[in-house]
Amino acid sequence: MSVFKVASRYAKSLIDLSKEHNNLDEIKGDMEEIVSIIKSSTELQAVLKNPIIKADKKLAILNALFQGKVKPEIIGFFQIMVRKGRAELVYATAQEFIAEYNEVKGIVKAEVTSAAPLSDDNLQALRTAIAQQINKEVILSNKVDKSLIGGFVVRVGDKQVDASINGKLAKLERHFAGQI
């Protein structure tokens, strides 16, 4: 079974557990912190993935990092995962938890790539327009790519709208290439 599928199943279990304890939002906040910490530490990622390092050592490291900083349910959940030999999935499970949370809450992540940074007003207007189109809350990030020349490219899930000058030039080039 793929890492994604297993991590997704663990994440769904933790979503169900946090719904039962009525602390879904708090667990999500803790998971964002966990993702941030693990993402920033390649050493921690290597330790969790290393099959030579014993489960007790991995548990001690996770406890030292997160005990008292995150909800006890998360610590207990990670302990179960490590004892089952799934420590390498802790990071992927935390990421999947956030994705599952967003789906449960009707939140969609979108990215706008522009030739120059967009103003807060422009980002807010774009966020509002996207939210009205898809009828969901939108978390919008802005990425800069000077090769676009001007305009922007918006990605929401697997959909993309290319309103960049570079994209229009490429489309025009393909059109003329088909004419010859």
Side-chain angles (χ1 to χ4, degrees):
M1 190 174 302
S2 76
V3 170
F4 170 77
K5 279 187 178 181
V6 177
S8 181
R9 286 183 180 177
Y10 276 115
K12 285 177 183 173
S13 296
L14 189 54
I15 289 270
D16 292 342
L17 178 67
S18 57
K19 282 181 180 177
E20 284 177 25
H21 290 133
N22 208 20
N23 61 359
L24 183 61
D25 294 331
E26 295 169 40
I27 298 286
K28 188 253 188 179
D30 288 347
M31 288 304 231
E32 287 176 331
E33 182 68 24
I34 289 166
V35 165
S36 175
I37 290 169
I38 295 175
K39 184 177 183 178
S40 68
S41 175
T42 55
E43 295 88 7
L44 179 56
Q45 291 174 36
V47 165
L48 292 173
K49 289 179 183 177
N50 191 333
I52 296 171
I53 298 174
K54 297 201 182 300
D56 292 340
K57 183 73 171 171
K58 292 177 184 182
L59 283 172
I61 292 168
L62 289 173
N63 285 334
L65 285 171
F66 302 119
Q67 193 81 43
K69 296 175 186 156
V70 299
K71 290 281 188 203
E73 294 96 308
I74 295 173
I75 299 292
F77 197 80
F78 286 167
Q79 287 174 348
I80 291 169
M81 289 179 69
V82 172
R83 286 193 184 110
K84 289 187 174 247
R86 297 293 196 171
E88 76 279 2
L89 295 176
V90 167
Y91 180 54
T93 299
Q95 290 176 309
E96 279 302 306
F97 180 91
I98 295 167
E100 293 284 337
Y101 172 90
N102 287 342
E103 192 168 312
V104 166
K105 294 289 187 170
I107 300 170
V108 173
K109 288 188 177 186
E111 180 182 74
V112 59
T113 306
S114 55
L118 296 177
S119 70
D120 289 340
D121 290 341
N122 286 339
L123 284 172
Q124 183 57 41
L126 189 56
R127 182 181 299 115
T128 302
I130 294 168
Q132 288 174 347
Q133 285 291 316
I134 63 174
N135 203 24
K136 293 186 177 189
E137 184 180 337
V138 176
I139 298 173
L140 184 64
S141 62
N142 184 202
K143 191 170 109 179
V144 176
D145 180 358
K146 294 183 189 296
S147 72
L148 294 179
I149 305 170
F152 59 87
V153 177
V154 176
R155 279 192 190 91
V156 181
D158 61 351
K159 294 186 175 28
Q160 175 175 303
V161 175
D162 189 344
S164 68
I165 292 174
N166 194 31
K168 289 178 183 180
L169 288 172
K171 187 176 182 182
L172 190 61
E173 182 181 2
R174 285 191 304 272
H175 175 74
F176 284 127
Q179 298 288 325
I180 298 175

